[in-house]
Amino acid sequence: VSFSRAFESYNFKHSSARFSTCALSVRPFSVSSHPKHAHRAASESAQWPIYTSGDSSSTTTGSASPVPNSYESVEGGGYSGTSLQASLRHLHPYSQVLTLLSSALGGLGGVSELEAETLRPVNLLQERNILPPKHAPPPEPNLSNDLRKVNCSPDTFRCTLTNIPQTQALLNKARLPLGLLLHPFRDLTQLPVITSNTIVRCRSCRTYINPFVSFLDQRRWKCNLCYRVNDVPDEFMYNPVTRSYGEPHKRPEVQNSTVEFIASSDYMLRPPQPAVYLFVLDVSHNAVESGYLNVFCQSLLDNLEKLPGDTRTRIGFVTFDSTVHFYNLQEGLSQPQMLLVSDIDDVFIPTHDNLLVNLKESKELVKDLLNALPGMFTHTRETQSALGPALQAAYKLMCPTGGRVSVFQTQLPTLGAGLLQSREDPNLRSSTKNVQHLGPATDFYKKLALDCSGQQIGVDLFLLSSQYSDLASLACVSKYSAGSVFYYPSFHHVHNTAQSQKFQKDLQRYLTRKIGFEAVMRIRCTKGLSIHTFHGNFFVRSTDLLSLANVNPDSGFAVQMSIEESLADTSLACFQAALLYTSSKGKRRIRVHTLCLPVVSQLSEVFAGADIQAITCLLANMAIDRSISSSLSDARDALVNAVVDCLTAYRANGSNIQPSGLITPAALRLFPLYVLALLKQKALRTGTSTRLDERVFSMCELKSQPLLQIMRMAHPDLYRIDNMTEQAALHLNDSVIPQPPLLQLTAEKLTREGAFLMDCGSVMFLWVGKCCNETFIRDVLGYPNYASLPSNMTEIPELQTMYSERTRAFISWLLESRTFHPAFHVIKDDTSAKTSFFQHLVEDRTESAFSYYEFLLHIQQQMSK
Amino acid sequence: MAFTFAAFCYMLALLLTAALIFFAIWHIIAFDELKTDYKNPIDQCNTLNPTVDRVKKIKRVRLALKLVLPEYLIHVFFCVMFLCATEWLTLGLNMPLLAYHIWRYMSRPVMSGPGLYDPTTIMNADILAYCQKEGWCKLAFYLLSFFYYLYGMIYVLVSS
């Protein structure tokens, strides 16, 4: 049992009722309410001096900026025989800064110094400016330089504790969760691809050979996970990179912690499947009214050539309202034939051929259909939706091959199997008591997803609905078939342009992104460690094996670990994630990531190595599981307890700590802030009006997004962008990218004279103050003054002014590493839309939730109990 | 010495408890199999056989799941028999388990068919450990009650 007490015990140490204090609207820290504190904040504004020293190599060594589908192109220029490719390394702009920084600070940061810095006690009640001015790189494991150089990139593989405690007892003492955050199928620009007849693996635990194994001599290597001594096969003695013989330790497998193998037929149960795409479209009145069909068909037409696949790629369409319609797209037909099945109680496939057709051969017919589809249902009066039967039909259609099903749904399913009732009571949206109906209402979708998963069918759900559609039940179909969920609340192609644009951009990415079929992922770890729980979208097939019908480059996974046996006799702990999948080109491939971390025996070292972002993400995942299995208030209490327990443990351990105040080690100084941010996140908040579907969607996102995206969702980045200067700016190629400092999320930091950009991951807000300087409004936004700004602007115009160019350069720099484009909103200070901006200011008090300072006091009070 | 209804109840309970012991053992084995699957050194075929392996696993869980309801019904059945035979002490001893069964079934995950176990959550370490512990406790309970029923039967037969 690996987990801090908070999540084990069901004690209600503090009821959520206590959170609702006096009714105040959103307000900043004011001098009147906390005079002492505000004063300190002013006087200690430069309290945050040291951060980056020596901490930089983690991003510089491993980072490669994700570019969609880039590796397919790498693969294109293949060598013959034993081939390897390493494309040029494109450093992420951010890491370039760090390179500069680290060279500037060269020699300053030693390891011990670093540790002392991360352990420096911080009194949170006194130090107000704890947020680093720039994104802090993840903590660097305390390893020798050689190991550090080859270690897995933190963007792919991160552990909550970069110093692994030796025993479960030590872990329990620290009260921090131990777990991994994975982004295994991330788009990479640099990936060594290895073709060889024998893939070298440990004979006992089947670990792939990796940089952290030890070579006893030329012919033998020792597995770093189970310590078995293995033979080095002959083929491995030859190094294709240097074309030399007898240097097994110079092989690419042993030089890179992220590699990809082309697998032989041993790794196939059946011939690799072709890429098969089935689109299941809602065409009821509601759907036609929202106008999504137009957007979808246009987007698919534009991207038809770019769908990942080869000559075998197949495509099909199913539409449904109260009946299910199939489309015969046989090559040679003059136009697509619609086949209608009205028996939805026992849905059947009207003809087995030609419903899924070869894209290449029937391209013209597919195009005809996509052009005709939006017009075909314009006058429909059918308001019912038979989603369940349509999904069953899709399952039957895809059964023989497997592949990807994309479902577009715009309302609550009302007919046939899997019909759902409305469960949301709008009056309870802002209740501070428990939120009901977070779990599924029926297991129909879950069972279907399991059947799909068994046949290697992944189901992706696009929900475009203005009313309650019971996402909690519908999402199951994607959750257990390793799909993804997209939700566009109140989608309308005319009335909601921001949503419509986002849908269009998301589709563009969705259709063209890389995809892996019939995948499994196994996570192995050093003997003594074991996997406790998985988080994400998949089916768990065995204690360490995930079944992923489809794998996409945008989904992340989290794993909770426990320590079963003492790690005392080893100094390194390793984790290996191996993802076996079929690429869209019909090749079986294995992507292997290996992470190596030091094992420590002192509690202080465990605290020093805590990775607060990873901890926050893992806690978020755990809290969501808890809120579904138990209750939301229970999950919230557990989150608070996680902080309380951890800080209590630190206090109990610390010797030279002054008794007053709220002391944390510097490595954990953001812990209370991040937990408060989670408590105010849409998924977990109470007291603020939240629609059930939006809450559930937010939960789905927290569970399936990669770490950086979760962090942006929970704790958005705030920048002031009306006065950006070239000082400390980045110079990339020939563009100048200003680097405004990160601001704390409090209205205290906002001024009426400024314009502020908030980056929440999937949405960006540009808040323009009433007295914002007119040059900014004119040069960047393209309007003469504040009053003439429209209230629904959704993009920044491309103006030829320096001001505008600089702003756009900054925003596109922020977006560079992101695969989905966020929706963009320009928010005027006096419109009603500003609440959507202000709700993200997590340090401020709201009607029903603590301000940051109050939260700290609350924690302190809990600790003294 | 006469063959009373109570004696009959005890005899029946004795036989049925033997069946329950079998169920409990089966339960333990099923979960142990689930848990230790990965210990197999040559797990290559597992990596290779997504479909086959998965179906097998689900079948195993489903079988364990199928045995749950008969077990509960058998237990309820002889509790009712003891009620009719006015064997208050024996009934009292069985009440906690009966209450537990009812609670367990009430708090099962959402599912359309009968059963307790959800294949999507069963691999969670906490749930797996709980189910295993439950199996061992029940086995112990059924074994003890087996001897108790044996004693009870003889006692009733002799005393009447």
Side-chain angles (χ1 to χ4, degrees):
Chain A
V1 190
S2 73
F3 196 3
S4 63
R5 183 193 77 209
F7 276 80
E8 266 161 31
S9 62
Y10 284 75
N11 58 342
F12 288 78
K13 280 216 308 206
H14 16 249
S15 70
S16 52
R18 198 178 291 172
F19 281 103
S20 56
T21 46
C22 47
L24 281 173
S25 58
V26 186
R27 49 178 281 181
F29 270 103
S30 69
V31 180
S32 58
S33 61
H34 305 295
K36 204 167 139 196
H37 182 77
H39 171 70
R40 282 214 183 94
S43 67
E44 290 173 2
S45 55
Q47 268 278 3
W48 178 241
I50 339 151
Y51 197 74
T52 35
S53 66
D55 228 2
S56 47
S57 55
S58 71
T59 13
T60 42
T61 50
S63 88
S65 69
V67 173
N69 285 324
S70 53
Y71 114 87
E72 290 289 359
S73 58
V74 171
E75 180 199 328
Y79 298 56
S80 59
T82 313
S83 71
L84 310 161
Q85 298 114 22
S87 74
L88 277 174
R89 171 178 297 192
H90 300 286
L91 280 173
H92 190 276
Y94 185 51
S95 51
Q96 283 194 354
V97 194
L98 290 166
T99 327
L100 294 176
L101 248 174
S102 69
S103 58
L105 295 168
L108 266 182
V111 166
S112 57
E113 227 172 282
L114 193 75
E115 199 154 278
E117 165 53 24
T118 53
L119 276 175
R120 178 176 64 90
V122 178
N123 188 346
L124 291 179
L125 292 176
Q126 282 174 11
E127 270 187 58
R128 174 90 175 88
N129 295 315
I130 50 170
L131 204 66
K134 280 206 159 68
H135 274 288
E140 180 81 352
N142 182 4
L143 293 167
S144 72
N145 266 334
D146 291 347
L147 291 182
R148 202 185 286 189
K149 236 184 280 165
V150 292
N151 217 350
C152 199
S153 152
D155 293 336
T156 306
F157 216 144
R158 246 166 115 163
C159 183
T160 55
L161 302 175
T162 50
N163 293 329
I164 303 285
Q166 217 168 47
T167 57
Q168 182 72 35
L170 185 60
L171 178 60
N172 290 346
K173 249 194 223 166
R175 297 269 184 221
L176 287 168
L178 175 62
L180 303 170
L181 277 297
L182 274 159
H183 191 181
F185 203 53
R186 203 164 71 87
D187 288 321
L188 295 166
T189 45
Q190 186 224 357
L191 176 72
V193 180
I194 296 162
T195 316
S196 94
N197 293 332
T198 45
I199 295 172
V200 183
R201 301 173 69 178
C202 171
R203 281 181 55 187
S204 151
C205 66
R206 309 299 297 156
T207 299
Y208 296 83
I209 196 164
N210 58 70
F212 310 105
V213 302
S214 44
F215 282 92
L216 300 178
D217 52 50
Q218 282 273 311
R219 311 290 321 198
R220 289 181 309 153
W221 62 279
K222 191 173 168 190
C223 174
N224 53 335
L225 300 196
C226 69
Y227 311 118
R228 186 196 156 103
V229 177
N230 294 277
D231 294 333
V232 176
D234 278 336
E235 197 191 337
F236 202 73
M237 299 299 288
Y238 174 72
N239 186 346
V241 181
T242 58
R243 297 172 189 265
S244 57
Y245 192 82
E247 285 181 331
H249 56 279
K250 294 256 174 76
R251 288 269 304 195
E253 294 96 317
V254 189
Q255 293 290 322
N256 296 284
S257 57
T258 295
V259 290
E260 188 153 288
F261 296 98
I262 308 280
S264 63
S265 56
D266 296 346
Y267 292 83
M268 301 168 195
L269 187 71
R270 56 174 188 182
Q273 67 163 78
V276 183
Y277 304 109
L278 180 68
F279 296 93
V280 180
L281 307 164
D282 184 355
V283 290
S284 62
H285 177 73
N286 203 18
V288 174
E289 175 61 30
S290 79
Y292 90 90
L293 263 180
N294 260 322
V295 182
F296 166 77
C297 289
Q298 196 50 49
S299 192
L300 186 55
L301 272 175
D302 294 344
N303 293 301
L304 213 49
E305 313 286 339
K306 294 184 214 147
L307 279 179
D310 51 11
T311 50
R312 300 186 300 158
T313 306
R314 292 162 74 185
I315 194 167
F317 297 88
V318 170
T319 55
F320 65 96
D321 38 35
S322 65
T323 54
V324 182
H325 325 129
F326 299 85
Y327 296 87
N328 185 344
L329 298 167
Q330 190 189 9
E331 194 191 356
L333 281 177
S334 58
Q335 62 175 47
Q337 258 176 9
M338 182 161 113
L339 304 160
L340 191 141
V341 173
S342 52
D343 183 8
I344 54 167
D345 294 325
D346 180 23
V347 70
F348 60 91
I349 308 294
T351 157
H352 274 279
D353 314 312
N354 307 319
L355 295 181
L356 280 172
V357 290
N358 188 304
L359 178 58
K360 215 166 188 177
E361 288 161 8
S362 302
K363 189 166 275 171
E364 289 312 311
L365 275 181
V366 170
K367 281 184 178 164
D368 286 351
L369 178 64
L370 286 175
N371 282 320
L373 208 51
M376 278 163 71
F377 299 94
T378 35
H379 302 297
T380 183
R381 296 237 177 109
E382 201 57 76
T383 54
Q384 304 277 43
S385 160
L387 176 66
L391 283 172
Q392 284 172 329
Y395 168 69
K396 284 184 183 162
L397 207 53
M398 299 285 276
C399 236
T401 50
R404 181 175 80 187
V405 176
S406 317
V407 183
F408 294 78
Q409 168 74 4
T410 60
Q411 57 172 321
L412 204 65
T414 49
L415 272 185
L419 69 95
L420 298 166
Q421 260 93 38
S422 178
R423 296 190 290 167
E424 187 186 34
D425 180 355
N427 299 324
L428 294 178
R429 273 182 195 159
S430 57
S431 105
T432 49
K433 289 196 209 88
N434 250 332
V435 178
Q436 301 286 311
H437 309 308
L438 292 173
T442 158
D443 68 342
F444 172 81
Y445 295 97
K446 184 196 283 183
K447 274 171 138 173
L448 190 74
L450 291 182
D451 290 340
C452 284
S453 169
Q455 301 300 326
Q456 310 297 348
I457 305 164
V459 185
D460 293 331
L461 176 69
F462 288 79
L463 185 62
L464 311 109
S465 146
S466 42
Q467 273 141 25
Y468 175 74
S469 308
D470 202 349
L471 188 61
S473 304
L474 292 182
C476 286
V477 78
S478 296
K479 220 177 193 169
Y480 301 108
S481 66
S484 23
V485 181
F486 299 83
Y487 179 45
Y488 304 89
S490 51
F491 176 88
H492 196 280
H493 65 128
V494 181
H495 303 318
N496 195 342
T497 45
Q499 209 60 279
S500 177
Q501 280 169 10
K502 181 157 170 49
F503 178 56
Q504 215 167 340
K505 282 179 181 157
D506 286 3
L507 264 181
Q508 153 91 17
R509 162 73 183 161
Y510 172 77
L511 292 171
T512 55
R513 72 182 177 187
K514 223 161 94 66
I515 181 170
F517 297 99
E518 39 185 8
V520 286
M521 181 162 77
R522 191 179 288 270
I523 298 172
R524 298 183 172 86
C525 39
T526 296
K527 208 169 85 180
L529 292 167
S530 74
I531 291 169
H532 187 274
T533 311
F534 291 101
H535 301 277
N537 290 353
F538 46 70
F539 173 67
V540 191
R541 221 167 59 199
S542 166
T543 37
D544 58 350
L545 186 69
L546 301 181
S547 157
L548 305 162
N550 285 178
V551 57
N552 68 68
D554 299 315
S555 59
F557 302 89
V559 185
Q560 264 169 264
M561 313 280 308
S562 56
I563 305 170
E564 295 210 321
E565 295 162 39
S566 166
L567 300 168
D569 47 359
T570 173
S571 61
L572 296 175
C574 292
F575 305 90
Q576 186 173 70
L579 178 73
L580 172 66
Y581 69 97
T582 303
S583 77
S584 50
K585 302 260 187 288
K587 269 188 192 153
R588 204 79 172 133
R589 287 164 164 257
I590 311 165
R591 190 175 287 191
V592 180
H593 304 284
T594 317
L595 177 75
C596 176
L597 296 172
V599 175
V600 297
S601 57
Q602 295 301 313
L603 190 54
S604 59
E605 292 173 292
V606 177
F607 282 124
D611 179 345
I612 189 57
Q613 295 199 328
I615 291 175
T616 310
C617 291
L618 189 62
L619 282 177
N621 275 307
M622 285 151 78
I624 284 159
D625 271 10
R626 174 64 78 83
S627 61
I628 293 170
S629 68
S630 176
S631 72
L632 192 65
S633 60
D634 207 11
R636 290 169 56 88
D637 289 344
L639 273 177
V640 178
N641 286 349
V643 185
V644 171
D645 289 344
C646 168
L647 297 190
T648 314
Y650 178 71
R651 191 175 59 183
N653 169 57
S655 49
N656 55 347
I657 293 172
Q658 58 271 49
S660 68
L662 190 64
I663 314 292
T664 64
L668 290 174
R669 71 194 183 288
L670 293 171
F671 197 10
L673 177 62
Y674 284 162
V675 165
L676 180 66
L678 279 183
L679 293 176
K680 293 188 178 181
Q681 222 281 327
K682 227 176 227 173
L684 295 165
R685 71 187 179 191
T686 54
T688 314
S689 179
T690 313
R691 291 166 64 183
L692 192 53
D693 274 347
E694 290 185 27
R695 185 189 293 277
V696 171
F697 177 63
S698 186
M699 290 185 164
C700 291
E701 274 196 307
L702 284 178
K703 287 215 63 156
S704 63
Q705 295 286 333
L707 181 135
L708 283 177
Q709 187 73 3
I710 297 181
M711 281 320 295
R712 274 190 224 111
M713 274 173 69
H715 190 270
D717 301 331
L718 182 67
Y719 307 93
R720 179 168 183 173
I721 60 163
D722 66 313
N723 59 356
M724 288 189 294
T725 58
E726 307 234 331
Q727 201 186 352
L730 273 181
H731 295 266
L732 284 181
N733 303 328
D734 20 312
S735 57
V736 178
I737 295 152
Q739 298 288 298
L742 279 175
L743 298 177
Q744 282 160 306
L745 291 172
T746 158
E748 191 188 352
K749 296 282 175 194
L750 304 180
T751 63
R752 284 165 183 231
E753 289 81 36
F756 293 83
L757 182 76
M758 185 188 275
D759 176 8
C760 311
S762 55
V763 57
M764 267 190 181
F765 299 104
L766 175 61
W767 181 83
V768 184
K770 261 186 194 141
C771 318
C772 181
N773 91 42
E774 296 213 339
T775 342
F776 178 80
I777 296 179
R778 193 183 58 233
D779 285 2
V780 177
L781 301 174
Y783 286 88
N785 53 32
Y786 179 78
S788 59
L789 271 179
S791 57
N792 57 350
M793 256 181 100
T794 55
E795 57 191 357
I796 289 189
E798 293 198 11
L799 301 177
Q800 297 307 316
T801 59
M802 226 264 283
Y803 217 160
S804 167
E805 266 163 25
R806 202 188 289 163
T807 312
R808 279 183 290 121
F810 176 62
I811 292 176
S812 54
W813 177 77
L814 287 178
L815 296 181
E816 197 165 59
S817 60
R818 232 167 290 181
T819 48
F820 284 107
H821 270 255
F824 194 87
H825 296 278
V826 177
I827 289 186
K828 287 170 76 175
D829 189 27
D830 50 5
T831 54
S832 58
K834 72 176 180 180
T835 45
S836 56
F837 174 78
F838 277 96
Q839 69 181 358
H840 291 290
L841 296 174
V842 295
E843 293 194 25
D844 291 336
R845 185 196 301 187
T846 64
E847 277 174 46
S848 51
F850 282 145
S851 73
Y852 178 57
Y853 189 74
E854 288 168 325
F855 185 65
L856 291 179
L857 291 178
H858 175 74
I859 289 174
Q860 195 183 25
Q861 190 192 351
Q862 292 297 326
M863 280 170 70
S864 56
K865 259 184 193 168
Chain B
M1 186 164 163
F3 190 74
T4 59
F5 180 62
F8 172 71
C9 283
Y10 276 115
M11 279 169 79
L12 200 66
L14 201 64
L15 290 176
L16 291 177
T17 308
L20 289 185
I21 288 172
F22 166 75
F23 283 2
I25 293 174
W26 212 95
H27 180 106
I28 291 167
I29 292 176
F31 280 98
D32 199 58
E33 261 188 335
L34 274 182
K35 190 175 182 179
T36 54
D37 207 319
Y38 74 108
K39 291 259 159 81
N40 177 3
I42 314 295
D43 61 357
Q44 193 165 359
C45 31
N46 289 354
T47 337
L48 306 183
N49 311 355
T51 34
V52 174
D53 184 58
R54 199 189 73 88
V55 169
K56 230 194 289 174
K57 178 142 296 156
I58 295 222
K59 264 189 193 146
R60 213 143 55 195
V61 176
R62 278 199 187 138
L63 206 54
L65 172 153
K66 273 189 195 130
L67 288 180
V68 166
L69 217 51
E71 181 193 332
Y72 287 11
L73 290 178
I74 289 172
H75 189 250
V76 169
F77 171 68
F78 65 69
C79 280
V80 172
M81 295 285 281
F82 283 129
L83 182 72
C84 299
T86 63
E87 288 290 328
W88 300 118
L89 179 67
T90 317
L91 189 64
L93 289 175
N94 273 302
M95 276 328 263
L97 185 63
L98 192 65
Y100 172 76
H101 280 168
I102 292 170
W103 170 81
R104 187 95 164 87
Y105 209 78
M106 299 295 274
S107 58
R108 74 197 183 116
V110 180
M111 54 174 84
S112 43
L116 275 184
Y117 305 111
D118 177 356
T120 58
T121 55
I122 197 76
M123 292 311 296
N124 180 308
D126 282 335
I127 295 178
L128 209 55
Y130 178 84
C131 290
Q132 273 184 310
K133 214 183 285 169
E134 184 193 29
W136 284 110
C137 291
K138 272 193 185 167
L139 181 63
F141 181 84
Y142 291 142
L143 274 176
L144 285 178
S145 49
F146 181 82
F147 290 110
Y148 173 76
Y149 297 147
L150 193 65
Y151 164 81
M153 182 184 74
I154 295 167
Y155 183 83
V156 171
L157 284 175
V158 170
S159 65
S160 55

